[in-house]
Amino acid sequence: MELYPTQDGFLGEMAKGFTFAQVARLAAGFGERARAEGIDQVVVAHDTRFLAKEMAEEAAGVLAGLGLETYLLKGPSPLPLFGFALKEMEAAGFYLTASRKPARYQGVKLRLGPGKPLSGQEVPLPEKALEARGSFQLLDRKKAYLEHLAGNAGQGAKGKKGVVYLDTLGGAGGGLMPGVFKLLGLEAELRELHPLPHPLFYGVDPDPKPDNLPTLLALMRAVEPPAVGLALDGDADRLAAVLPGGEVLPPEEVLKALEEALEGKEVRGDGQGGYLFPWHLEEPDPFLAALLLLGKLL
């Protein structure tokens, strides 16, 4: 499979269309486009896929070599954290992920700013990878992002008891939610499933459809209320919810619960069944959606 453009970047199969040389070309083309837009800062981030960190470092070096002030987010970073960093830094963004595609794929999501996706068709790719590499800075915005989530989660989950199972499928969303629960002082017990980064996503596709959630569904079939199951995709921009008994909550019901939690503010689905986008800020934020849903589902 060749490297091909998407509505917000590029996608390819590892070692075929998506290689280190191609990453360097993508970064160079994106960097030139960013400079043409008068942008001087870029944030680079990556998911948990094979060689994602090394490819992100390659991209960051190329972007810095073009004279852009370049930052690399520390560790695998979920897409909502990446979007938060772009807004905070007023920067463009280069995010290595193939989202919910199988593990053999990798891609890149491009942003000319927070909430400004750039189609791969609009990126001028050089014929050859550039040789110049520059220095970039590591960036850690996890603590600030957790505080942002806690500050916007509302009071709905306060005082709620029960168990929350969260399956992050070995993707970039693992290990983040416990910090938010602690900041909010929530009484509900959080049990994370597959929270550690895993390049093969524990043997399933990182897509929170029922076929890819055997552990979560088995647990939810056996639990008694109050309990709720949640699942995220590979880059944590999609969310699924499961009720006691193992029923996957239909997307329209998830959206309805979110609207109620937000006192009628608009939310919208992505039309692909089982996933949702909360009301659109700079990026979809399923972590915030999950916190808001707990008040309705526990």
Side-chain angles (χ1 to χ4, degrees):
M1 175 182 174
E2 296 298 325
L3 184 71
Y4 65 88
T6 66
Q7 63 183 2
D8 64 347
F10 291 87
L11 184 69
E13 194 168 352
M14 289 285 288
K16 292 183 179 179
F18 209 92
T19 64
F20 275 90
Q22 291 285 44
V23 168
R25 289 182 67 222
L26 295 176
F30 176 68
E32 292 294 354
R33 176 60 193 273
R35 292 204 310 175
E37 297 283 339
I39 296 168
D40 57 10
Q41 289 192 115
V42 180
V43 174
V44 179
H46 62 87
D47 64 7
T48 63
R49 290 169 189 266
F50 183 61
L51 292 177
K53 176 178 179 289
E54 291 78 4
M55 286 185 166
E57 290 172 342
E58 174 74 351
V62 171
L63 290 163
L66 290 171
L68 292 159
E69 189 174 343
T70 305
Y71 300 87
L72 175 64
L73 279 173
K74 291 180 65 175
S77 300
L79 189 66
L81 171 55
F82 171 71
F84 173 79
L86 296 192
K87 182 177 180 181
E88 203 176 42
M89 302 290 290
E90 297 183 354
F94 188 102
Y95 181 50
L96 278 152
T97 184
S99 192
R100 54 202 171 96
K101 289 286 187 181
R104 68 182 184 275
Y105 293 94
Q106 183 56 293
V108 60
K109 291 185 176 180
L110 305 175
R111 301 288 186 268
L112 286 176
K116 297 180 179 178
L118 178 66
S119 166
Q121 298 280 10
E122 300 180 60
V123 179
L125 296 182
E127 288 297 321
K128 296 181 180 179
L130 302 183
E131 295 183 4
R133 299 292 184 272
S135 298
F136 53 87
Q137 302 178 53
L138 289 180
L139 180 66
D140 188 352
R141 303 310 299 154
K142 182 178 177 181
K143 182 174 183 293
Y145 177 62
L146 294 181
E147 291 171 348
H148 159 76
L149 288 176
N152 287 276
Q155 301 296 313
K158 293 288 182 70
K160 292 282 186 175
K161 300 182 185 298
V163 180
V164 179
Y165 293 95
L166 175 63
D167 195 344
T168 55
L169 298 173
L176 190 146
M177 196 64 93
V180 187
F181 268 55
K182 183 176 181 180
L183 281 176
L184 288 171
L186 298 185
E187 295 182 45
E189 179 186 356
L190 176 66
R191 300 180 185 176
E192 279 197 297
L193 309 176
H194 309 116
L196 298 179
H198 197 289
L200 298 179
F201 305 108
Y202 296 92
V204 301
D205 292 346
D207 186 352
K209 293 181 177 179
D211 288 350
N212 298 321
L213 303 173
T215 304
L216 179 62
L217 291 179
L219 287 168
M220 293 306 296
R221 290 188 190 107
V223 301
E224 297 291 333
V228 64
L230 303 170
L232 297 167
D233 72 335
D235 59 359
D237 71 346
R238 285 177 169 85
L239 176 73
V242 185
L243 301 178
E247 177 191 356
V248 178
L249 196 64
E252 60 270 17
E253 293 298 318
V254 176
L255 294 174
K256 180 181 177 182
L258 263 180
E259 287 178 346
E260 291 174 356
L262 289 164
E263 298 179 348
K265 291 182 182 177
E266 183 182 357
V267 293
R268 62 186 177 87
D270 68 356
Q272 299 185 45
Y275 316 119
L276 62 94
F277 287 84
W279 72 108
H280 196 68
L281 300 173
E282 275 66 35
E283 293 285 351
D285 197 331
F287 292 106
L288 188 52
L291 292 166
L292 292 164
L293 283 171
L294 293 183
K296 295 293 179 182
L297 300 181
L298 279 178

